Amino acid sequence: MTGISPVDRIVADSREAAVTVRARVDKEEMTGICFLRLDGEGLIASVTEYWPEPYEPSVSRAGLVERY
């Protein structure tokens, strides 16, 4: 089964937006991060997507990580 769940989070202003989504491909669940640039009418002008691999942060950075 393949699919994308609803948006987890969105942060936006009149010119930019950042969105996180969760997708499932077969049994693997992935988190996608999308950065959107909006035009003068608030429509999406461009999208940059990242699909990072999960990893544990280094000990020195662990306090800066937010888990959800």
Side-chain angles (χ1 to χ4, degrees):
M1 180 175 172
T2 302
I4 295 181
S5 70
V7 170
D8 282 333
R9 293 182 183 189
I10 184 166
V11 178
D13 63 18
S14 62
R15 295 169 41 168
E16 298 175 316
V19 180
T20 59
V21 297
R22 293 192 186 245
R24 181 178 305 277
V25 177
D26 294 325
K27 294 182 180 182
E28 183 179 0
E29 186 174 308
M30 301 181 298
T31 298
I33 305 165
C34 304
F35 295 95
L36 312 173
R37 188 176 54 82
L38 308 175
D39 66 13
E41 297 177 9
L43 301 175
I44 297 171
S46 68
V47 178
T48 303
E49 295 182 10
Y50 296 94
W51 294 88
E53 295 289 327
Y55 65 92
E56 290 301 315
S58 65
V59 175
S60 65
R61 307 307 264 168
L64 304 173
V65 175
E66 178 183 344
R67 302 272 184 193
Y68 62 94

